[in-house]
Amino acid sequence: MSDNLKLADLLLPHIDKTPDYYEALYPERSLKEGAKVTRVAPSPTGYLHIGTLFTSLVNRIAATSSEGIFFTRIEDTDKKREVEGGIENIIDGLNRFGITIDEGFVSGKEEKGIYGPYQQSRRAEIYQTYVKDLIRKGFAYPCFCTAEELEATRAEQEKANIRTGYHGEWAACRSLTFDEIKSKIDAGIPFVIRLKSPGNEENKVVYEDLIKGKIEMPENDEDFVLLKSDGIPTYHFAHAIDDHLMHTTHVMRGDEWISSVPKHLQLFRILGFKVPKFAHVSPIMKLDDGAKRKISKRKDPEAAVHFFIEEGFDAIAVVEYLMTIAASDFEDFRRANPDKPYTEFKFNLKKMSVSGALFDENKLLDVSKNIISRMSGETVSEKITAWAKEFDTEFYRLLIKDQSYTKAIFSIDRDCAKPRKDIAKWKEAKDYVSYFFDELFAPDYTLPDNLTPADACEFLKAYVKVYNESDDKQQWFERIKELCPALGFASETKAYKAAPASYKGHAGDLSTVLRIAVTGRRNTPDLCSIMKVLGKDKCVERIEEAIKHIL
Ligand code: GLU
């Protein structure tokens, strides 16, 4: 038996399969020509990050646009960084934002598909099988260097102004003989398995990134680690094995991985795998004191997607906003197709920002207002109630006291040709509709400068006498107009404008007085509708209360 074969058995004696076994177990997918198989591969190290949501969306839409498959894979090879509930946080978060998952972890607890397990910590045997094969072929070897030895090498390289890393003559364990290795193993010295890189720094590798374009980098010559001492792979190795066996066609991931592409290309080649297409997604940026920087987990609350949920942004608004960042032609699509789901947008990676798009909260608010304005009153009231249940118990109790009242409130100026673009996030709703609830009502009775308290009260007293709850919008305004002449106000704005000195004001001013009396504010949706929802008794009570305060 050759030394390599003996070495493979010595290092991984428990591995009895060969790669052929897995190649047969995970056959090619039968998808239509051009279908993209994409994935997101989060590490369960905390909450769902806005960047992960963004990358997932891009992967999802690329798969959808090509009738392909989007799957999830949990990269939990670093157990130290893992947090309790991490998988649920991320996968359930994606679900919450409507990112449908075809395969892999479809929820925090459920896995689907025949290419699993979709969790790296459960794939150790697969990785080890491929590593064993590389050892047999002379492409991998054990390394016994301690952290201190590696550090000493590094210091020496730095001192001599040599590129740091485990390469060439610095790769101390590369030339150990079988007998030397065997005696270390027998002595129980822990080891990692490294790639025996055939690369040369002087050579260039070129690849076409689907977002960034043509990229040229030096070939990898580093004997990087494939398997750590606990038998668990590094990211690089797991990526090559998993994306090969899961038949990923497009690896679309954060652009922090660009510098590792030479390693990955080398691995794919040595392993005899077809190289997937790569697309490196730029991070979402933020302006900080005029300078662009990556959204940061530590500094920015909006890095955690949960922030948007707590703020009461509707999931679809966040997704639609991210689509505007993802594709420069998405807004044209939206304008031309206001009612189509975003999933029908034909996504083209070439339209993605190369340098990283700026996060713009005002734009998000704007997108959100538009979307909410097109929702039915029923949907809005359901969504606000669901949000309040989770984040504002006081408001929730008020909303569920009388659900038809709640629905009527949120139906005002909605479901019509020109709906109001008023609410951008559910958190704003409480203040926005506070005057519908005595518990929240906090009126500001300040009158506009051109109106005196005496005139305002005289009008309110007269109005109560003629107020008819069943008036439609037109009749409602007619009533106010009819009161004008006796009070010295112009019924028509035109008449007022023609001779302002002859009047104290016009009918519009008096409707403002009524608005202030009933709602305690100057700006609201349609007042006639508000008064109908509040009901006559409540309106009269409010008007009488206002008279006391204004006088
Ligand atoms: N676990 C890696 C990360 O979270 C995945 C990168 C990839 O998509 O391949 O960055």
Side-chain angles (χ1 to χ4, degrees), residues 140-155 157 162-176 181 184 190-199 201 219-226 263 266:
Y141 64 91
C143 165
F144 301 88
C145 291
T146 60
E148 293 72 35
E149 283 164 341
L150 294 174
E151 190 41 49
T153 305
R154 185 187 179 83
Q157 287 171 324
I162 290 169
R163 184 166 48 92
T164 57
Y166 210 83
H167 53 79
E169 62 191 270
W170 300 92
C173 293
R174 201 184 231 245
S175 47
L176 292 177
I181 293 171
K184 285 181 192 285
F191 62 92
V192 300
I193 308 266
R194 288 183 183 272
L195 175 76
K196 191 180 279 181
S197 171
E201 239 268 308
E219 197 171 67
N220 174 65
D221 67 347
E222 214 186 304
D223 287 359
F224 60 89
V225 175
L226 303 177
K263 288 191 174 74
Q266 194 170 56

Side-chain angles (χ1 to χ4, degrees), residues 39-43 52 55 59 73-76 81 120 235 239 243 251-254 256-257 264:
R39 85 302 187 268
V40 67
S43 301
T52 309
T55 316
N59 275 283
R73 177 170 73 227
I74 302 298
E75 302 209 334
D76 57 347
R81 288 177 56 225
Q120 291 181 333
Y235 167 76
H239 150 55
D243 283 316
V251 171
M252 311 206 279
R253 60 186 173 190
E256 68 274 20
W257 293 110
H264 303 158

